[in-house]
Structures are given as C-alpha cells and as structure tokens.
Amino acid sequence: MQIVLENERIECPEGMSLYELSGKYRDNYTYPVIVAKVNGVIQELYHTVIEDSQVEFCTTEDPDGHRAYVRGISMLLMKAVHDEIGRDNPQLRVSVEYSLDTGYYCRFSEPMEISLELLERLQNRMRDYVKQNLIFEKYVIRTRDAREMFEGLGMDQKAKLMEYRRNSRMTVYHLGNFMDYYYGAMPYSTSILQYFRLKKFEDGFVFIVPKRQKPLTIPEYKPSTKLFHTMESANDWHSKLQVSSVGELNEQIVRGNFTELMLTQEALHEKRIGDLAEDIANRGCRIVTIAGPSSSGKTTFSYRLSTQLKTLGLRPHPIGLDDYFVNRVDTPKDEKGDYDYECLEAIDIKQFNVDLNALLDGKPVQLPTYNFITGMREYDKPVLQLDSDEILVIEGIHGLNDKLTYSIPRQNKYKIYISALTTLNLDEHNRIPTTQARLIRRIIRDARTRGNSARKTISMWNSVRRGESKNIFPFQEEADAMFNSALLYELAAMKLYADPVLFQVPKDCREYAEAQRLLKFLDYFIPVDPHDVPLNSILREFIGGGILLN
C-alpha cells in the first residue's frame, strides 16, 4: 500500500506498524523517533500504518516527542519505586509536582529520608528496565473499572479525575507488572529512555531529562530556589483549599463551592500584591521593574500594584519601555533578517538611563513616544517632573536585566518576576505545564483583541518561548520578589472561550495536532460561568470585560 511519509509518497507492506516503518527510515533522522503524527494527530508507534495516510515522525527533539519522553521517564520512575520499595510499603506513593529547570520535582506521600543510596537504587532499577526493552502496552478499559482500580491502588487523584470523565472508556498503560494512566502518547518501549538522572532536592528529589534542543545530553541541574518556594507556597494554599488536582477542582464546582473558591483565590492575589507594595514602600525604592513571560498578566498586575502603592501614599507613574525603541533603521535583525524588537539592543538604553536619572533628581524630562508606523521616536508628551512621593513603574521584557538600568543604584530598584506558575495537576503523575496554561490564555486574548486565529497564535508560540528563554528566564532569580498570577479556577473559566477558537484550526495544517491536544486537555475540566470572575481579576486581561484595561 502507499502512504505519504514526510511529503514523499512511498510503498510499504500492509499491516506494518509505525514502529517498523520508523526503523526502516531510522537513518533519515538525527535523533530517535518516539511517536508519529498521522493525518495531523499524534499516535503511538504500535499503531498499524493506514493506506493513503500522511505520516510524520516526531523525534525526541520535537515538542510532542519530548513530552512523550518525559511521560515515559515518569512511568519508568513509578515502576522503579513500586518494585524497589513499594512492596514493603504498599501505601507509599510518589507524586510529580512541577518542573524546575530541566528537572521534575517529586515528593513521597509519606515523610521519609531520601538518601543518595535510595536514589541510586531507583536509578539502577530504571536503567535495568531500559536494558530489558520493556514495551509500553496500552489497554482500553471501562472508565468505571479504571476508577475502582485506582482507588484500590491508593491513587486517589486519578480516581477523582475519572469520576468526572464523560467517556465510558479510557486507556491505561502496563509496563511489566506496573499499571498507570498517562495523558498523551507514550513511547513504544523503554529502550529509548536512556538519558535521565535522579537528584535530591529540598525535601524531595527531581528526575532530570535532556533539554529538547539537546536530547542526547543530560544537562547540569540549576534549580531556581526562589521559583521553587513560590510554587511551594501556592501548593500549600491549594492543599488548605483541598484542591490539588483537576478532579478535586471539579468536585468543588459540582458541590456548588466555586464562588467561594474563586473569591478566596482572588483575595490571596490581592493580599500578595498588597504585601509587595508595602515592601516597596518600606525599602524606599523609586523604580519598580516588572518582567515575566508572555500571558503572565503583567499589565493587570501593574495596575493593581499601582493601586496598592497609592493606598500607602505613593504616586506611581508608568513608563513604557517600548517608547525607547531605537529608530527602526537602527534596530538589530535576527537570523531570518527580521527586525528583532525583543533583544536588549533594540532599546536606547543610554537615553533611557539618562532620563531615569534626571527624573529621580527631580528634573523635568520630556519622555518619547515610539511611532510603530513610521518607526521613529517622537516627542509629543507633556514634560514630566517627579515629586518625592512619586515612583516609576516599568513593565517590559528586560525588566530583570540590570543592563537595562545600569546607572541606577541597586538599592533604588525593586524587581518583580511574574508568571502563571500552575501547580494544579491532572493527577499524581500527570502535571500541567505552566506554558500550557499561558498558551491558552494567549489564544483567547489574541482572538479577542487582535483577531488572530488559534492557528496563528500556536504557530508563533515556539518563537515566543525562545525569546523568553533568552531574555527573561536567565534573570528570574535576580528578582526581589516573585508573583504567581495563576488561578486555581482559570482553566475551568477559560474552557468556554478556548473550545470554539481551537475547533476552528483546520485539519490540513501543522498546528492541528496542538489544537487537538489542547482540546483533549480542556475536556478534563467542568466549565464554570466566566461572568462570575471579578472585574479586576488578572484573568480579565485575557477573557475581557475587566475594569482595568480597555
């Protein structure tokens, strides 16, 4: 029979599996093939090749391939824990909490000493499974049976997730004697999972995997301590609210507790913003810089922070970093020859610092306005002169980089890192990446405010993330404070906005697989009425209808 493989029509025997087909063309790929994209949908390699289908193989360097690799390592770890120490302690469980640098933070369900010897034993077990080339066997069972099975195994969050599933059937995976559920495609076998490492961290440990760009190298682990404690704080509050997983969130919604949960979350945000304002005032800082990745809610946060500063007798004044772009003819270009507005050199740093110092000295300054049509700076704003009770609030991609404000003494600056650090997970072993929640935020906002299709937003996302990795994440530990803009309920509130936009992505484009993945993910959530969201919520920056933004 004939198929189209990577835009080339080929012949293959009837009944051939995708795994066999990938082996035949192994030399065409730099990195190992782990899953396939068949007619735009991600599939595991055990599937049989279908006549006239269009097949693309995803390696461990591809986003979908890397996600499958992480899921495979996770199940490998769970089986090792089960076989090495779980037999003597049947109640012992391991949960995968969140990602930190190139590692995924894990915690045991019961307090125990995590020694280097224990991690070495688990790691050796995992390596043995890799050598044994165990197959990830997939089975379809009744959802009701799966729920009862997970309850019996003590995986309460998985059981709770299944309680609110509409589908009568679901898939589970067997790896030797161990069974689990994973959201998304899995590898064909353990032989591909050669690169990993376990390392103790805080009161748990991390499993470290290669970066997507270097899938055959185990990177050095450089944890962000401030980020970890910010996420731990959110995790503690989730536990107090008894909502640590999507199943528990759905339960609260079904029981009619959504309004109380939402208002509590919003109150926690407001308290945290108030605490930041007090810290700024107590330190006597005259410049506040705010930076964070795309769709973190920076604009709404800056408005709410300014309001809290006003309650303390301060008068915040916003400065737009974009107005200090160099003239377009002087703007650096990227490797594709396009203007690179995200690099630091796109900003007239020298003039920016001259103006900042003049303002702090109480001198009158006429600030520029960048004309995006002409590509030139213009001076048409009223002259600004600061009094002693006025401070500057600067929001921009380079806000954490000291090179931006090189002439300002460190004690005069207060740097805030903001991001939507999702700590709510699907269940014990299926985490929700923070990038996924941010992408859904951006899809909704771009469709509403810019008329962009979900396809266009998805197509730009990898480029956006590359810019974040270069200009924001390396400086996050230098922040004086971190603000987590994620809200426990936001995905349930965004579902009704996201679904229609995602369903519009056509089948014959590369973004279709990602759109389908997001739709499948949102199916786990029971939707809530977004009209109940407070008008000053950070979520309003994306779904609209707020009082802080036009």
Side-chain angles (χ1 to χ4, degrees):
M1 61 183 180
Q2 289 193 340
I3 65 167
V4 177
L5 176 63
E6 312 290 357
N7 298 320
E8 180 182 349
R9 184 165 289 277
I10 64 168
E11 290 187 349
C12 62
E14 187 176 347
M16 173 179 268
S17 69
L18 290 167
Y19 180 75
E20 293 169 322
L21 182 64
S22 69
K24 187 176 179 181
Y25 291 90
R26 183 181 294 113
D27 294 340
N28 291 2
Y29 302 90
T30 305
Y31 300 108
V33 171
I34 188 167
V35 292
K37 191 179 293 184
V38 181
N39 296 329
V41 178
I42 298 299
Q43 288 192 359
E44 287 143 324
L45 297 182
Y46 76 85
H47 284 282
T48 302
V49 178
I50 303 172
E51 188 168 10
D52 289 329
S53 60
Q54 294 192 3
V55 178
E56 294 179 60
F57 285 120
C58 300
T59 70
T60 49
E61 185 190 31
D62 300 315
D64 289 298
H66 186 262
R67 281 190 283 263
Y69 191 93
V70 173
R71 284 190 288 266
I73 292 290
S74 178
M75 189 166 184
L76 201 66
L77 170 64
M78 298 309 151
K79 175 174 169 56
V81 171
H82 174 268
D83 293 348
E84 185 67 30
I85 56 180
R87 298 179 189 278
D88 298 329
N89 189 353
Q91 302 303 314
L92 184 67
R93 299 287 177 266
V94 176
S95 58
V96 182
E97 303 285 343
Y98 26 75
S99 65
L100 292 168
D101 190 48
T102 55
Y104 293 82
Y105 180 70
C106 302
R107 201 190 324 255
F108 285 106
S109 58
E110 300 177 9
M112 63 179 296
E113 180 186 357
I114 302 177
S115 63
L116 296 179
E117 184 269 338
L118 171 61
L119 294 181
E120 187 68 22
R121 282 163 48 200
L122 292 175
Q123 196 165 264
N124 289 338
R125 278 265 187 180
M126 294 170 70
R127 299 203 184 285
D128 285 342
Y129 301 148
V130 172
K131 292 177 182 177
Q132 293 172 29
N133 192 25
L134 302 176
I135 305 297
F136 287 89
E137 298 179 274
K138 186 175 183 177
Y139 294 93
V140 178
I141 64 175
R142 292 190 304 178
T143 302
R144 181 177 60 191
D145 295 338
R147 180 187 168 193
E148 293 175 355
M149 184 167 53
F150 287 127
E151 283 178 344
L153 293 171
M155 298 183 186
D156 298 332
Q157 291 183 3
K158 286 186 189 291
K160 189 72 66 178
L161 186 68
M162 301 308 138
E163 185 175 347
Y164 300 100
R165 291 290 288 158
R166 295 177 181 174
N167 296 337
S168 60
R169 294 185 173 273
M170 58 172 290
T171 58
V172 295
Y173 293 89
H174 285 246
L175 192 59
N177 64 336
F178 182 73
M179 186 274 300
D180 206 347
Y181 168 76
Y182 282 90
Y183 156 70
M186 297 291 281
Y188 180 81
S189 72
T190 58
S191 63
I192 199 173
L193 306 174
Q194 298 181 31
Y195 305 97
F196 63 88
R197 184 160 57 94
L198 304 184
K199 183 178 178 64
K200 179 174 171 56
F201 182 71
E202 296 288 338
D203 60 348
F205 65 98
V206 292
F207 66 84
I208 303 165
V209 297
K211 293 182 178 181
R212 187 171 66 81
Q213 297 80 2
K214 296 181 179 180
L216 304 182
T217 305
I218 302 175
E220 180 185 358
Y221 181 59
K222 298 178 180 178
S224 171
T225 306
K226 289 181 181 178
L227 189 69
F228 170 75
H229 289 296
T230 300
M231 300 186 83
E232 280 287 271
S233 177
N235 224 19
D236 290 343
W237 270 109
H238 293 181
S239 297
K240 291 175 182 177
L241 296 172
Q242 297 183 320
V243 180
S244 298
S245 66
V246 174
E248 291 173 344
L249 172 63
N250 288 336
E251 183 176 52
Q252 292 296 319
I253 294 171
V254 169
R255 289 182 175 179
N257 298 331
F258 168 69
T259 300
E260 182 181 357
L261 174 68
M262 175 188 62
L263 293 177
T264 303
Q265 269 276 281
E266 294 290 349
L268 287 170
H269 264 195
E270 197 61 42
K271 182 180 185 304
R272 175 60 176 153
I273 296 171
D275 290 342
L276 291 175
E278 285 195 13
D279 195 24
I280 293 168
N282 291 336
R283 293 194 193 188
C285 298
R286 299 292 307 280
I287 292 178
V288 178
T289 61
I290 302 168
S294 174
S295 303
S296 295
K298 295 184 288 294
T299 305
T300 302
F301 170 78
S302 64
Y303 276 113
R304 289 174 64 174
L305 178 64
S306 294
T307 300
Q308 290 287 348
L309 290 169
K310 289 175 184 177
T311 67
L312 299 173
L314 297 174
R315 290 191 291 163
H317 186 91
I319 287 193
L321 203 54
D322 288 358
D323 287 331
Y324 279 89
F325 278 140
V326 298
N327 293 331
R328 187 170 295 152
V329 293
D330 300 318
T331 303
K333 295 184 178 181
D334 59 20
E335 62 276 5
K336 295 181 180 179
D338 299 324
Y339 290 115
D340 186 0
Y341 288 103
E342 293 190 349
C343 69
L344 186 61
E345 293 72 22
I347 299 169
D348 189 344
I349 301 174
K350 183 178 179 180
Q351 187 60 51
F352 183 62
N353 279 265
V354 168
D355 289 352
L356 288 183
N357 279 289
L359 287 169
L360 294 180
D361 289 339
K363 298 177 181 177
V365 175
Q366 188 171 33
L367 300 177
T369 299
Y370 186 79
N371 188 323
F372 281 90
I373 297 176
T374 64
M376 301 285 288
R377 264 183 293 168
E378 300 172 351
Y379 288 86
D380 53 5
K381 292 181 178 178
V383 172
L384 176 66
Q385 189 169 8
L386 297 185
D387 290 330
S388 59
D389 63 346
E390 288 186 280
I391 64 174
L392 300 174
V393 178
I394 303 165
E395 175 207 327
I397 187 173
H398 301 287
L400 302 180
N401 188 344
D402 271 330
K403 290 181 180 179
L404 176 69
T405 52
Y406 65 86
S407 67
I408 307 299
R410 184 64 182 88
Q411 64 269 20
N412 286 347
K413 295 183 287 190
Y414 193 95
K415 299 190 288 186
I416 301 174
Y417 174 73
I418 175 175
S419 186
L421 302 171
T422 308
T423 57
L424 180 78
N425 287 325
L426 284 179
D427 58 40
E428 295 92 336
H429 306 150
N430 289 276
R431 54 175 299 277
I432 299 175
T434 58
T435 54
Q436 188 154 295
R438 288 196 294 113
L439 175 56
I440 293 172
R441 281 181 171 189
R442 179 153 177 167
I443 286 172
I444 294 170
R445 184 193 64 191
D446 284 5
R448 180 179 61 84
T449 64
R450 303 177 183 178
N452 288 350
S453 65
R455 176 184 180 181
K456 183 174 182 179
T457 302
I458 292 170
S459 70
M460 297 187 302
W461 190 240
N462 284 336
S463 175
V464 170
R465 293 197 63 195
R466 282 194 297 271
E468 295 168 351
S469 297
K470 180 181 179 181
N471 298 309
I472 299 176
F473 298 145
F475 306 101
Q476 62 188 21
E477 280 295 292
E478 298 177 19
D480 294 289
M482 290 189 175
F483 180 77
N484 184 2
S485 69
L487 292 156
L488 266 177
Y489 68 87
E490 67 177 79
L491 288 162
M494 290 193 293
K495 176 179 170 61
L496 295 178
Y497 292 92
D499 279 357
V501 183
L502 289 167
F503 273 118
Q504 293 174 26
V505 177
K507 290 184 178 181
D508 58 351
C509 69
R510 298 191 63 83
E511 295 75 25
Y512 178 73
E514 180 69 359
Q516 291 299 304
R517 187 180 72 83
L518 294 175
L519 283 167
K520 180 182 176 183
F521 164 70
L522 288 169
D523 267 349
Y524 288 98
F525 293 84
I526 293 177
V528 296
D529 188 351
H531 292 95
D532 293 333
V533 175
L535 299 182
N536 68 337
S537 172
I538 280 178
L539 192 56
R540 287 289 179 182
E541 185 170 326
F542 307 98
I543 66 174
I547 58 175
L548 298 179
L549 300 175
N550 293 329

